[in-house]
């Protein structure tokens, strides 16, 4: 016969092991899986995990375990993930370092052993990059082996850990990886943050959720037999089963109590039951156990030695006794100790006398301040903050809590930073004034608080500023807005002599924060807030706040009211950024100015400004701004019809964003790339790009809305109208709101008008146009306005024979012409739109549009867009057929054949149908009979080049350089270079000389 505190035999759980085994098999096959296992405290979750991990390791898997901490989780962000990664580093060594190569500075936020953290990356994109790099690391490590990550006690997890886990579950797409997580089901009260997360996880096809039940009577018998070394008497089994109700941990404690002859028998109090084992220990061991309980979920050996005051050998002996009694157990690394079960620690802490716990916390804090090496460097600030807070010493706790908030910010753990700063708010009034000022001045110097004004010392407003930013970054926008209002009440209601320049500057900063929050919450378009910030700054010397306010104001003008005021504001913003050293803000201001310069008519000047920004070297601090600049530049090029150059720019930007781990930026640029590919007629390529952008993990709802917008565009062109409506509806729900931006409202209206026109709903077309345009299309939005007006004009022309369209037609046509008057035409693309729009309006009025369609076709032939050219040729042909005459009929036939060839090649079903219908009605053959075969195409046309490309090839054949070509054709050298590259690709030529030779051999330019 033998006995043990713990059953040496694993009892039951066959169904749960089978489910875990099934998940492991699926992971082995290359599909990441996750299992979430819940159960009440003590039911056996940890024992089941240990058994499963042991079996998985025996089968060749690499296993890593990390546990959440019971108290102070907000001060130790990512703790379970960091612990698991540290285990992988010990097991895989150099292989893990190879997997993180080049990203050590970013991943050091999770695994500090990798080196110093990157400090330059902005908060707004840094966390997304950290999460994405974590996914890539795990996928690399699990590429050729099975990896099992176990995270215990998820009910204690900090918010950053939960959010990282959510990202992993959605983003992991390949690799032999299994994530297993446990949680206490009885701790999940109605408002526990894990409850909605679990419901969300369960909807994922890769996730399995298990609930671990209590043991039945037969299983309790087997557990008791294993502990006692013999079958239990029926009377003992009955008593243990009755009091434990099948809870595995309680069974062990009751068995131990009975075996050791507890004088009180079996206690009805759970806490007393758990304390029985502790109280049976020698006095010096009990003292050590109580001190260990006050140190947290896990306590390092050296720290415990310092706080207990025991010599090393003496502490080892007391620990040996506690471990032998199954009260404590060593950690995986063997350098720290924790209670064998959290329930036992809770009981010991609950038994501490009043004041005893705070005194223990003070001793831990003093020991850690005296020797910071007693704990891991990444845990030091958080642990110290927790100890001083529990010690009830505000003067020591406030600096520690502020320091811990700074450490959390450095790891992009914004939720934990926010919680810690809220704790600092609680401590503020109980802390001496001079210490508060010193602490906040240090926080400003360390970058936790924005350095708003050099005139004001660190004070309560600085704490509110730091808390406002943290609340915004963690998504608590309502709280951030309330903090802004509180700070502004204090600043704008302060009658002290100091409340002038410095406080006006800080008030302007808070109004700028409020500007962003009001826009994010769709409470305002932001103008009132940013205008008030500008008023506060009048008469004050230049500052970083000035630069930021003016940059936001310039962007507001760009979106809502472009024009001279917008350009002047952007120029001032660029200059202020230069004067004050606000480099990153300055890049944003330069992008805004470049866009406005293009819209003002200085196209080449604006493009050159935008290219200069994109040409800057990428660094952690500027990566997101510069890469978004690629997206903005590609959009600008698209808006003026330089689609080929837009594609080249977007492809480069998307690739860079992908490599830098910025999925949202990459998908934003991909949306622009697809837009230009559609115009170039590369619809299959556009579809692939949109699929890639939509499948990318970590993409915001807003960017997905923009992607849906392009999907609707493509579906509409192909004639998939139901699909187009679905995508348009999805786009509208993501990109519009109470204060929508014209770039989305005008584009959405254009697509909706095209769909309404396809159904001959002309009255809906007019209603949609009135809603979108209002009094007029806002200046600066001609790139969206011209296509919108053309769709409306084309709808009127197509509906000219509908009786329902007759009433109101004159007003509708006049409405469109009125909107056209305010739109510039200095770009060839816009000029072509203007010609086509007016030609459609003449057609709608029943007037002769021949001359205009002649000009429109000629103008459209100079563009890079095959579909609009095919439309123009179709409309011109229709006009010629209406005129009648043999010569007109022959010209119409040629136009229709050219248009039909393009429509067929593109897969533009509605356009092709319209062309074939018109040709059939006019009895014009689209395919010439053999006897009446159409003359062969001109040699230059046979090369498959656009009109513009043929112009460029002619000059290449004449020996012109890119700059000379640009000067002769009035385009930029960059655009000339793009055309040359496309020509070489189409001709299969290795260089300019070979391209010229091919052209001469075919007699392409013989006259």
């Amino acid at each position: 016969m033998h006995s043990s505190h713990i059953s040496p035999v694993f009892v039951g759980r066959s169904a749960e092991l089978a489910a875990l085994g099934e998940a492991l098999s699926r992971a082995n096959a290359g599909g990441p899986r996750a299992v979430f296992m819940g159960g009440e405290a003590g039911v056996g979750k940890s024992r089941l995990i240990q058994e499963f991990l042991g079996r998985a390791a025996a089968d060749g898997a690499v296993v890593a375990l990390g546990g959440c901490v019971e108290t102070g989780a907000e001060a130790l962000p990512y703790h379970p993930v960091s612990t698991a990664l540290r285990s992988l580093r010990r097991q895989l060594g150099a292989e893990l370092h190879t997997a993180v190569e080049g990203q050590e500075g970013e991943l050091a936020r999770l695994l500090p052993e990798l080196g110093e953290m990157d400090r330059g990356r902005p908060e707004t994109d840094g966390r997304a990059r950290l999460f994405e790099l974590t996914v890539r690391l795990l996928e690399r490590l699990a590429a050729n082996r099975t990896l099992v990550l176990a995270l215990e006690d998820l009910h204690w997890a900090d918010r950053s850990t939960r959010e990282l886990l959510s990202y992993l579950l959605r983003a992991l797409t390949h690799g032999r990886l299994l994530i297993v997580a446990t949680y206490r089901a009885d701790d999940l009260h109605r408002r526990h943050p894990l409850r909605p997360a679990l419901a969300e996880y369960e909807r994922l096809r890769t996730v399995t959720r298990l609930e671990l039940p209590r043991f039945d009577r037969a299983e309790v018998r087997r557990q008791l037999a294993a502990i006692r070394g013999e079958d239990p008497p029926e009377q003992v089994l009955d008593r243990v089963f009755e009091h434990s109700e099948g809870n595995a941990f309680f069974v062990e404690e009751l068995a131990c109590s009975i075996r050791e002859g507890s004088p009180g028998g079996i206690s009805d109090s759970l806490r007393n039951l758990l304390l029985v084992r502790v109280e049976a220990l020698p006095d010096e061991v009990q003292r050590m156990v109580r001190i260990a309980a006050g140190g947290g979920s896990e306590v390092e050996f050296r720290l415990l030695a310092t706080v207990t005051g025991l010599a090393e050998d003496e502490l080892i002996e007391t620990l040996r006794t506690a471990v032998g009694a199954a009260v404590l157990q060593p950690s995986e690394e063997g350098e720290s100790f924790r209670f064998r079960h959290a329930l036992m620690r809770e009981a010991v802490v609950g038994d501490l006398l009043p004041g005893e716990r705070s005194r223990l916390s003070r001793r831990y804090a003093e020991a850690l301040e005296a020797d910071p090496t007693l704990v891991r460097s990444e845990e030091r600030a958080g642990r110290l903050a927790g100890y001083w807070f529990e010690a009830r010493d505000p003067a020591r706790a406030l600096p520690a809590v502020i320091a811990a908030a700074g450490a959390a910010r450095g790891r992009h753990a914004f939720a934990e930073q926010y919680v810690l700063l809220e704790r600092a708010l609680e401590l503020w009034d109980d802390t001496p004034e001079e210490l508060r000022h010193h602490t906040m001045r240090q926080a400003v110097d360390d970058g936790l608080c924005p350095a708003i004004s050099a005139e004001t010392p660190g004070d309560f407003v600085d704490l509110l500023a730091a808390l406002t930013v943290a609340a915004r970054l963690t998504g608590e926008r309502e709280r951030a807005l309330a903090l802004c209002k509180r700070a502004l009440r204090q600043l704008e209601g302060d009658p002290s002599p100091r409340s002038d320049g410095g406080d006006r500057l800080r008030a302007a900063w808070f109004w700028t924060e409020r500007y962003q929050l009001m826009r994010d919450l769709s409470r305002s378009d932001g103008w009132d807030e940013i205008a008030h910030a500008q008023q506060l700054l009048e008469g004050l010397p230049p500052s970083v706040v000035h630069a930021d306010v003016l940059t936001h104001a310039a962007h507001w003008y760009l979106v809502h009211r472009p024009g001279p005021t917008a350009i002047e504001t952007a120029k001032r913003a660029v200059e202020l950024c230069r004067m004050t050293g606000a480099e990153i803000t300055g890049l944003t201001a330069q992008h805004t100015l470049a866009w406005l310069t293009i819209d003002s008519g200085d196209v080449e000047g604006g493009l050159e400004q935008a290219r200069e920004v994109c040409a800057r070297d990428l660094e952690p601090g500027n990566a997101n701004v510069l890469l978004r600049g690629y997206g903005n530049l590609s959009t600008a090029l698209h808006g003026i019809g330089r689609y080929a150059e837009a594609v080249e720019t977007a492809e480069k930007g998307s690739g860079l964003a992908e490599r830098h781990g910025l999925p949202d930026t990459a998908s934003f640029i991909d949306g622009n790339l697809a837009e230009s590919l559609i115009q170039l007629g590369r619809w299959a390529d556009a579809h692939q790009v949109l699929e890639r952008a939509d499948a990318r993990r970590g993409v915001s709802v807003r960017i997905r809305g923009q992607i849906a917008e392009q999907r609707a565009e493509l579906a509409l062109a192909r004639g998939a109208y139901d699909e187009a409506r679905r995508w348009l509806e999805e786009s509208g729900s993501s990109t519009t709101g109470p204060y929508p931006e014209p770039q989305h409202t005008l584009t959405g209206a254009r697509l909706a008008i095209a769909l309404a026109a396809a159904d001959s709903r002309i009255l809906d077309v007019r209603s949609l146009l009135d809603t979108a345009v209002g009094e007029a299309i806002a200046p600066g939005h001609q790139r969206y306005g011209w296509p919108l007006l053309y769709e409306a004009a084309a709808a009127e022309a197509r509906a000219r024979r509908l009786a329902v369209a007759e009433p109101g037609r004159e007003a509708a046509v006049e409405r469109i012409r009125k909107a056209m008057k305010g739109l510039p035409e200095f770009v060839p693309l816009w000029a072509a739109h203007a010609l086509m729009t007016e030609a459609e309006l003449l057609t709608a009025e029943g007037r002769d549009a021949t001359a205009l369609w002649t000009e429109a076709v000629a103008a459209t032939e100079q563009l890079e867009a095959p579909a609009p050219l095919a439309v123009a040729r179709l409309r011109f042909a229709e006009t010629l057929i209406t005129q009648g005459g043999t010569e007109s009929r022959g010209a119409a036939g040629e136009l229709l054949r050219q248009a039909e060839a393009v429509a067929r090649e593109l897969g533009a079903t509605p356009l092709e149908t319209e062309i074939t219908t018109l040709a059939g009605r006019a009895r014009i053959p689209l395919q010439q009979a053999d006897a009446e075969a159409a003359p062969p195409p001109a040699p230059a046309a046979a090369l498959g080049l656009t009109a513009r490309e043929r112009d460029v090839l002619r000059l290449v054949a004449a020996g012109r350089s890119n700059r000379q070509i640009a000067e002769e054709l009035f385009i930029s050298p960059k655009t000339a270079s793009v055309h040359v590259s496309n020509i070489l690709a189409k001709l299969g030529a290795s260089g300019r000389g070979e391209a010229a030779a091919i052209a001469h051999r075919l007699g392409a330019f013989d006259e």
Side-chain angles (χ1 to χ4, degrees):
M1 170 184 172
H2 74 276
S3 65
S4 169
H5 295 295
I6 305 170
S7 169
V9 177
F10 184 76
V11 176
R13 310 305 189 200
S14 56
E16 291 77 16
L17 279 173
L20 288 166
E22 172 64 18
L24 182 62
S25 296
R26 291 179 178 269
N28 280 332
R33 307 292 295 185
V35 177
F36 288 85
M37 182 165 40
E40 67 180 1
V43 79
K45 300 182 295 296
S46 295
R47 184 67 187 275
L48 175 57
I49 287 294
Q50 291 170 4
E51 180 71 19
F52 170 68
L53 292 182
R55 296 185 183 188
D59 290 340
V62 174
V63 303
L65 176 66
C68 303
V69 295
E70 178 183 358
T71 57
E74 70 280 349
L76 299 174
Y78 308 120
H79 183 270
V81 179
S82 296
T83 303
L85 290 177
R86 193 170 289 117
S87 174
L88 290 177
R89 180 173 177 264
R90 284 195 305 273
Q91 296 179 69
L92 302 179
E95 187 174 344
L96 183 138
H97 284 273
T98 299
V100 303
E101 189 173 2
Q103 308 298 343
E104 293 88 347
E106 196 63 46
L107 288 169
R109 302 181 199 282
L110 295 180
L111 187 57
E113 288 85 346
L114 295 176
E116 287 294 318
M117 291 186 291
D118 285 341
R119 299 292 180 184
R121 189 167 298 280
E123 294 155 328
T124 50
D125 64 280
R127 198 174 79 138
R129 175 173 164 81
L130 174 63
F131 285 11
E132 176 63 17
L133 292 178
T134 305
V135 169
R136 295 183 186 183
L137 169 62
L138 293 176
E139 287 182 338
R140 287 185 191 123
L141 294 178
N144 299 310
R145 68 163 63 79
T146 300
L147 195 63
V148 181
L149 290 185
L151 306 176
E152 287 201 283
D153 299 321
L154 207 57
H155 53 283
W156 289 328
D158 58 283
R159 179 170 164 179
S160 289
T161 293
R162 293 196 303 272
E163 289 173 349
L164 174 56
L165 180 58
S166 294
Y167 189 89
L168 293 176
L169 294 176
R170 286 170 175 75
L172 288 163
T173 57
H174 60 273
R176 296 160 55 183
L177 176 67
L178 172 63
I179 297 174
V180 181
T182 68
Y183 61 92
R184 280 190 193 175
D186 48 333
D187 270 17
L188 300 190
H189 52 79
R190 186 171 59 87
R191 301 187 65 181
H192 195 289
L194 188 59
R195 280 179 71 104
L198 287 171
E200 186 181 343
Y201 300 158
E202 204 168 8
R203 289 195 290 268
L204 301 175
R205 63 176 181 78
T206 57
V207 172
T208 301
R209 187 171 171 183
L210 304 175
E211 289 294 330
L212 204 60
R214 296 175 178 179
F215 282 157
D216 59 22
R217 193 171 190 277
E219 288 169 327
V220 170
R221 178 194 295 276
R222 291 174 56 198
Q223 186 182 8
L224 283 173
I227 293 172
R228 294 166 57 91
E230 61 181 5
D231 283 338
E234 288 299 317
Q235 182 181 13
V236 170
L237 174 60
D238 289 341
R239 293 174 64 196
V240 170
F241 185 65
E242 177 185 354
H243 285 79
S244 71
E245 297 182 340
N247 183 289
F249 180 65
F250 298 163
V251 170
E252 291 176 352
E253 294 304 307
L254 290 166
C256 179
S257 177
I258 293 171
R259 188 188 65 232
E260 295 177 0
S262 173
I266 296 178
S267 170
D268 289 331
S269 166
L270 171 59
R271 193 182 77 175
N272 289 341
L273 170 65
L274 297 176
L275 289 174
V276 164
R277 189 176 300 188
V278 175
E279 291 170 349
L281 297 170
D283 289 345
E284 65 275 13
V285 179
Q286 285 191 50
R287 174 179 173 272
M288 184 273 298
V289 167
R290 292 178 187 277
I291 291 173
S297 297
E298 191 170 312
V299 184
E300 294 77 1
F301 176 84
R302 291 178 57 227
L303 179 58
L304 190 59
T306 303
V307 176
T308 60
L310 296 175
E312 184 175 306
D313 290 343
E314 190 176 359
L315 178 59
I316 289 173
E317 286 306 312
T318 57
L319 284 169
R320 190 187 306 280
T321 302
V323 170
V327 174
L328 298 180
Q329 65 183 24
S331 68
E332 183 181 350
E333 298 139 333
E335 297 176 358
S336 58
F337 291 82
R338 64 187 304 160
F339 280 80
R340 189 179 73 80
H341 201 286
L343 286 172
M344 186 171 289
R345 178 181 177 272
E346 292 170 15
V348 174
V349 169
D351 196 50
L352 295 175
L353 296 173
E356 187 178 3
R357 183 172 182 179
S358 62
R359 286 195 296 273
L360 276 177
S361 294
R362 175 177 292 275
R363 287 166 62 185
Y364 273 106
E366 290 171 342
L368 193 50
E369 281 192 340
D371 184 0
T373 67
L374 293 175
V375 301
R376 295 185 185 279
S377 59
E378 73 271 17
E379 296 184 10
R380 188 179 303 135
R383 295 274 288 276
L384 195 58
Y387 290 144
W388 279 125
F389 188 78
E390 292 295 331
R392 305 290 188 267
D393 188 339
R396 307 295 289 275
L398 180 65
V401 167
I402 292 293
R409 174 180 176 271
R411 302 181 74 185
H412 299 322
F414 304 128
E416 289 62 49
Q417 175 193 356
Y418 169 65
V419 170
L420 288 162
L421 289 173
E422 287 280 17
R423 184 170 290 177
L425 204 60
E426 295 175 31
L427 296 166
W428 187 264
D429 290 338
D430 297 325
T431 306
E433 183 176 2
E434 182 55 37
L435 178 62
R436 294 190 308 220
H437 288 324
H438 174 76
T439 300
M440 294 315 299
R441 282 195 296 268
Q442 186 63 51
V444 171
D445 291 342
D446 292 343
L448 175 64
C449 305
I452 302 172
S453 171
E455 298 178 18
T456 52
D459 61 9
F460 185 61
V461 172
D462 286 315
L463 177 57
L464 291 178
L467 192 47
T468 298
V469 173
R472 174 168 55 80
L473 290 173
T474 201
E476 299 290 341
R477 293 184 178 89
E478 293 287 1
R479 175 60 173 156
L481 191 58
L483 290 163
C484 275
K485 293 177 181 178
R486 182 175 180 179
L488 288 169
R489 282 197 301 270
Q490 180 162 333
L491 289 168
E492 297 178 345
D494 183 1
S496 67
R498 183 175 60 78
S499 63
D500 186 21
D503 280 358
R504 283 169 58 198
L505 197 64
R506 297 203 288 176
W509 183 90
F510 277 103
W511 276 104
T512 307
E513 281 290 308
R514 186 167 173 171
Y515 159 80
Q516 297 180 71
L517 292 165
M518 293 293 280
R519 291 175 70 240
D520 289 345
L521 292 167
S522 294
R523 305 262 179 87
S524 162
D525 66 359
W527 175 247
D528 290 344
E529 290 75 20
I530 206 65
H532 191 77
Q534 290 181 84
Q535 292 171 8
L536 287 167
L537 295 173
E538 290 178 1
L540 296 183
S543 68
V544 171
V545 176
H546 280 72
D548 193 44
V549 168
L550 280 182
T551 299
H552 282 299
H555 183 266
W556 187 94
Y557 277 120
L558 169 67
V559 173
H560 298 280
R561 205 179 300 161
T565 303
I567 293 176
E568 181 58 32
T569 304
K571 286 180 177 178
R572 289 169 54 207
V574 170
E575 179 60 19
L576 272 172
C577 290
R578 186 192 62 79
M579 291 172 59
T580 59
E583 184 179 354
I584 306 303
T585 304
L587 295 173
T588 301
Q590 289 174 60
H591 273 305
T592 301
L593 179 58
W595 190 285
L596 289 166
T597 301
I598 294 169
D599 282 346
S600 72
D602 184 4
V603 174
E604 296 306 327
L607 290 175
E608 190 58 35
Q609 292 174 19
R611 292 189 186 108
E612 285 177 4
V613 176
C614 292
R616 297 278 296 271
D617 291 336
L618 283 172
E619 299 171 358
N622 68 18
N624 195 41
V625 176
L626 289 188
L627 291 171
R628 282 197 167 264
Y630 277 93
N632 292 335
L633 176 55
S634 68
T635 299
L637 289 164
H638 177 92
I640 59 177
R642 298 188 185 178
Y643 305 125
E645 190 176 348
V647 165
E648 183 181 47
T649 301
E651 284 177 337
K652 182 177 180 181
S654 175
L656 286 170
E658 180 72 27
R659 287 197 293 276
H660 278 75
L662 297 172
D664 202 50
T665 303
S667 288
F668 158 66
I669 299 173
D670 272 347
N672 295 344
L673 171 58
E675 185 178 29
S676 296
L677 288 170
I678 290 170
Q679 289 301 314
L680 286 172
R682 296 169 55 183
W683 292 1
D685 292 340
H687 176 76
Q688 289 180 0
V689 168
L690 290 170
E691 288 287 312
R692 177 179 74 195
D694 221 6
R696 196 175 278 117
R697 52 213 177 198
V699 177
S700 66
V701 172
R702 187 177 182 82
I703 299 302
R704 290 200 186 280
Q706 294 175 8
I707 294 167
E709 200 171 80
Q710 296 309 315
R711 285 184 177 275
E713 184 88 61
L714 193 55
L716 176 65
R718 286 173 164 165
Y721 295 140
D722 289 341
E723 181 185 347
R725 290 187 187 93
R726 288 196 301 272
W727 287 120
L728 183 58
E729 182 179 356
E730 181 176 327
S731 170
S733 65
S734 305
T735 58
T736 60
Y739 301 94
E741 297 178 355
Q743 62 176 317
H744 299 303
T745 57
L746 295 178
T747 301
R750 173 176 59 80
L751 294 171
I753 284 173
L755 287 167
D759 293 336
S760 301
R761 292 183 286 113
I762 189 61
L763 299 184
D764 287 348
V765 168
R766 293 169 182 172
S767 175
L768 287 164
L769 182 68
D770 286 344
T771 301
V773 173
E775 291 300 316
I777 293 174
H781 296 103
Q782 56 271 12
R783 70 193 64 220
Y784 313 110
W786 276 123
L788 168 66
L789 295 179
Y790 174 74
E791 286 294 345
E796 291 292 343
R798 302 289 74 73
R800 67 185 182 277
R801 294 188 179 89
L802 295 178
V804 71
E806 185 61 33
R809 175 179 292 131
E810 183 177 349
V813 168
E814 181 56 31
R815 183 90 169 87
I816 296 171
R817 284 204 175 101
K818 181 181 177 183
M820 291 172 64
K821 289 178 182 178
L823 298 183
E825 303 176 24
F826 55 79
V827 169
L829 173 64
W830 306 339
H833 277 307
L835 289 168
M836 290 179 67
T837 303
E838 180 58 29
E840 294 283 17
L841 292 178
L842 289 176
T843 303
E845 293 172 323
R847 296 159 61 189
D848 182 12
T850 307
L852 271 178
W853 277 122
T854 302
E855 291 184 58
V857 169
T860 312
E861 284 178 338
Q862 301 305 310
L863 304 179
E864 300 174 349
L869 175 57
V871 170
R873 285 170 171 164
L874 166 63
R875 301 294 178 237
F876 189 15
E878 187 176 22
T879 302
L880 292 173
I881 291 170
T882 303
Q883 281 184 342
T886 305
E887 186 176 342
S888 295
R889 180 180 174 83
E894 182 59 29
L895 288 167
L896 287 174
R897 282 187 283 275
Q898 291 173 335
E900 191 272 340
V902 170
R904 181 165 22 88
E905 183 178 350
L906 290 175
T909 303
L911 179 58
E912 185 178 5
T913 300
E914 194 172 355
I915 294 167
T916 55
T917 300
L918 176 62
R921 193 170 69 242
R923 297 186 178 182
I924 294 176
L926 293 177
Q927 300 294 328
Q928 295 278 19
D930 291 342
E932 302 175 345
L943 297 175
L945 305 179
T946 66
R948 175 62 78 184
E949 287 168 347
R950 293 198 295 272
D951 291 340
V952 172
L953 179 57
R954 186 191 303 274
L955 296 174
V956 168
R960 301 288 200 278
S961 68
N962 287 348
R963 181 165 297 281
Q964 290 170 326
I965 293 170
E967 290 173 354
E968 189 158 340
L969 297 179
F970 302 101
I971 60 177
S972 71
K974 180 69 173 176
T975 301
S977 172
V978 172
H979 283 310
V980 171
S981 297
N982 288 340
I983 290 167
L984 297 180
K986 289 182 177 182
L987 299 184
S990 60
R992 301 165 76 96
E994 186 178 350
I998 292 172
H1000 286 301
R1001 185 173 68 248
L1002 295 176
F1005 304 118
D1006 293 343
E1007 294 184 357

